[in-house]
Amino acid sequence: MKTSALGVLATVSIYAIAGQVAAQQQPSAPQNPGPAIAGVCVYHNERLLAQSAAGRALQQGMERLANDVRTELQPYATNIQNEYQALQQGAQTIPQAELQQRAQALQQRAQEAEQLEQTREIELRYTLQMQRMAIAERVDPIIIQVYQERGCGILIDRESVYLMNPAMDITDVVIQRLDQQLPTLNFQRMTPPVQQQQ
């Protein structure tokens, strides 16, 4: 059985850290950023996910769920490791028939534990996907509203822009409004529909 106890926690953490790094490592605004171009607006979704209340709640909630799964899986890993060591150490003294029987039982337990881990990983990935969609459903109307208020003619992803006049960035306003509308997320691990599990 894998001892990584869920690559999903790493995925969740990497996604949060990447958003924070992206938000922090944008080149600092030059002293003279140039004119704000009328009708051109910029939005940074990764910064919203890293800095908004809902984005932080998503990160914390996913870490909590992944830790719960790790706690659930740890006894399986410990039991399997202990039995494996016992079989190795007793290979010369345990009767062959008993050794074979115990080895088969160990293999079955390892397969069951691996299946459980895969199931939990699917559930966590699905939960992350659904919660990100929930945030996106709340953010999209806010973006459209700010886009119209600012008279934007085009909205550019901040990831595609190296330098810009900060006056063209609508991200802060979107984060403020999202924080008012969605100050937190409360969720549990979700089971995907059967067709998505395959």
Side-chain angles (χ1 to χ4, degrees):
M1 179 180 165
K2 300 176 211 161
T3 55
S4 62
L6 291 180
V8 130
L9 178 58
T11 301
V12 171
S13 297
I14 287 168
Y15 126 77
I17 291 166
Q20 292 167 356
V21 168
Q24 294 166 0
Q25 286 190 346
Q26 295 292 346
S28 55
Q31 299 249 338
N32 179 8
I37 302 169
V40 177
C41 298
V42 177
Y43 169 70
H44 193 189
N45 193 61
E46 289 304 314
R47 184 156 70 86
L48 176 127
L49 289 173
Q51 296 179 358
S52 68
R56 289 191 308 268
L58 174 59
Q59 167 68 15
Q60 293 164 358
M62 291 305 301
E63 286 179 356
R64 174 182 52 81
L65 294 179
N67 285 331
D68 290 347
V69 169
R70 186 181 294 113
T71 299
E72 177 186 9
L73 294 175
Q74 188 56 48
Y76 290 92
T78 301
N79 178 277
I80 289 166
Q81 185 65 30
N82 290 344
E83 177 66 3
Y84 177 74
Q85 289 174 349
L87 291 178
Q88 276 191 321
Q89 292 168 359
Q92 301 302 322
T93 57
I94 299 172
Q96 188 63 32
E98 180 185 343
L99 188 65
Q100 187 173 4
Q101 185 179 20
R102 285 174 63 180
Q104 288 174 347
L106 177 61
Q107 183 177 8
Q108 184 176 346
R109 284 201 306 271
Q111 289 171 348
E112 290 168 358
E114 186 174 354
Q115 181 62 48
L116 179 61
E117 182 175 358
Q118 290 171 358
T119 299
R120 293 294 181 258
E121 185 170 352
I122 289 168
E123 291 170 352
L124 288 180
R125 289 187 189 281
Y126 179 72
T127 302
L128 176 61
Q129 175 189 356
M130 296 307 292
Q131 294 308 313
R132 286 189 76 161
M133 284 176 53
I135 292 173
E137 287 173 4
R138 298 298 285 272
V139 168
D140 287 348
I142 296 171
I143 293 172
I144 292 169
Q145 183 181 39
V146 175
Y147 179 93
Q148 292 171 342
E149 290 172 3
R150 293 282 181 94
C152 303
I154 187 172
L155 182 61
I156 300 173
D157 182 355
R158 180 64 177 94
E159 298 292 320
S160 303
V161 178
Y162 187 73
L163 290 174
M164 65 173 188
N165 185 313
M168 295 161 41
D169 192 338
I170 66 169
T171 309
D172 287 335
V173 175
V174 175
I175 290 172
Q176 290 168 2
R177 293 186 187 181
L178 178 64
D179 284 352
Q180 291 170 356
Q181 290 186 23
L182 190 62
T184 190
L185 288 174
N186 295 309
F187 58 93
Q188 298 300 320
R189 189 176 69 235
M190 302 169 71
T191 303
V194 174
Q195 64 273 13
Q196 290 189 5
Q197 292 183 32
Q198 298 174 349

